[in-house]
Amino acid sequence: MTILITGGLGFIASHAAASLLESNQELVLLDNLCNSQESVHQKLEKLTDRKFPFYRGDVRDKKLLRKIFSDHSITAVMHFAGLKSVAESVKDPLLYFDNNVGGTITLLEVMQELGVYQFIFSSSATVYGVPEYLPYDESHPTKPINPYGQSKLQVEAILKDLAASDSRWAIACLRYFNPVGAHPSHLIGELPNDQPNNLMPFMMQVAAKQRPFLTVFGNDYETADGTGERDYIHVMDLAEGHEKALALIQKTPGMHIINLGTGKPHSVLELVRTFEKVTGESIPMQIGKRRDGDLPVYYASADKAKDVLQWQATRTLADMCLSSWQFQLQHLSS
Ligand code: WQD
């Protein structure tokens, strides 16, 4: 039983791969390296003491996909490959629909052709859009406010119809909240190829003195300290949630939509203060204007994941901050 992991050298996928390898799963990884580094392959083999094949390529390459499926007895796919910058999706929606929707359709066509029906999809809380109530549960209306979220929702719609068309499909759509942190080996973590969009990698660069200060995008929100609140989840908790989702689809066909979050919102300032406390580093800040498209607050109801996956996040904000910094230090010294 071999699992294909697309986008396998990326931030979240590489941590899922580490967990699966440590659980003795056989893996094949595919990545086009548009937002990852090939060195992650060797790092994963080192930290798990396991060998596995890596293919450099794109999920839109049907010929390559067929080769991978015929060279390895793939029984399930975890599909992480996709673009994930909200701002970039607004500037170039076609790029996002081609990559995120077109790429998934190509992958599903090859799976169907070769009789592989177990599929885990990397979805996102951005499918919900403006909260009508909080926390978001999986029944919350889905009205994404940017092309990135729309591309994820369109894939979910395709997967729903696919599962309805053929009872052999066993699909889990995992809606991530805000993944942060790094593997305890400090060998893998979040390392965007270009300027980071997200708070934690940006804060790491400020802490590493690669940037002079952190701009806080607005402190006039209706929140306890005026800054935006999010459901930050440790990437290792997220990885373990994927292992539980794999166990679910191996025994239960159909379509399962599940939030992966902690259910606990934290503000920007809380994250910064926690980081400073656990690392002893200081983060110079400037208050800037709100970022277009930002929501004041969003966080998950994690009840369904607890019920259906027997999974819940266990790591703290301090764990997230410390592991991110330990990875950053290791990366800077390598
Ligand atoms: C978090 C908070 C910002 C940077 C994104 C994407 C989506 C999803 C999760 C995958 C907000 C504030 C940020 C900075 C700041 N990932 N901030 N200064 O926007 O919640 O969600 O990641 O699906 O791709 O929507 O994450 O880390 O950008 O922002 O003040 O330099 O930090 O305003 O309140 P976001 P983020």
Side-chain angles (χ1 to χ4, degrees), residues 84 86 123-126 148 176-179 197-200 202 214-217 228-230 232 268 291 294-295 298:
K84 64 163 194 169
V86 169
S123 191
S124 167
T126 40
Y148 164 71
Y176 306 159
F177 281 71
N178 287 62
N197 294 298
N198 299 128
L199 178 59
M200 187 65 96
F202 209 107
L214 172 74
T215 303
V216 176
F217 295 147
E229 294 181 1
R230 295 289 184 274
Y232 298 99
V268 176
R291 180 173 62 178
D294 268 359
L295 296 169
Y298 68 77

Side-chain angles (χ1 to χ4, degrees), residues 110-301:
V110 172
M111 288 179 69
Q112 183 170 261
E113 193 183 294
L114 298 166
V116 179
Y117 295 100
Q118 293 180 1
F119 188 69
I120 292 181
F121 176 57
S122 170
S123 191
S124 167
T126 40
V127 300
Y128 290 118
V130 179
E132 291 180 18
Y133 57 83
L134 285 173
Y136 288 132
D137 58 24
E138 288 83 351
S139 309
H140 186 285
T142 48
K143 297 173 186 164
I145 56 174
N146 53 65
Y148 164 71
Q150 188 58 251
S151 73
K152 291 294 187 179
L153 186 62
Q154 287 186 7
V155 170
E156 289 193 8
I158 291 166
L159 294 172
K160 271 183 195 154
D161 287 346
L162 204 50
S165 74
D166 184 332
S167 59
R168 287 172 292 184
W169 283 102
I171 297 169
C173 277
L174 304 179
R175 291 174 176 171
Y176 306 159
F177 281 71
N178 287 62
V180 294
H183 190 268
S185 66
H186 313 155
L187 289 175
I188 56 172
E190 188 170 9
L191 204 59
N193 278 354
D194 48 24
Q195 162 146 333
N197 294 298
N198 299 128
L199 178 59
M200 187 65 96
F202 209 107
M203 191 164 69
M204 288 310 103
Q205 293 186 359
V206 172
K209 310 276 187 289
Q210 293 168 344
R211 293 178 188 279
F213 56 84
L214 172 74
T215 303
V216 176
F217 295 147
N219 67 346
D220 57 351
Y221 286 108
E222 298 282 304
T223 58
D225 64 21
T227 63
E229 294 181 1
R230 295 289 184 274
D231 186 333
Y232 298 99
I233 176 169
H234 198 295
V235 67
M236 290 311 296
D237 277 328
L238 202 68
E240 290 159 12
H242 283 73
E243 287 196 82
K244 293 286 191 178
L246 181 65
L248 172 71
I249 63 171
Q250 284 171 337
K251 58 180 191 295
T252 319
M255 171 82 161
H256 309 276
I257 294 180
I258 304 167
N259 286 340
L260 292 188
T262 66
K264 300 185 195 85
H266 292 286
S267 74
V268 176
L269 291 183
E270 275 182 280
L271 195 76
V272 174
R273 297 292 176 238
T274 302
F275 177 82
E276 291 180 323
K277 185 160 172 262
V278 299
T279 63
E281 301 294 331
S282 71
I283 301 290
M285 286 182 279
Q286 288 192 2
I287 303 296
K289 64 184 183 47
R290 294 179 177 191
R291 180 173 62 178
D292 288 349
D294 268 359
L295 296 169
V297 183
Y298 68 77
Y299 57 100
S301 161

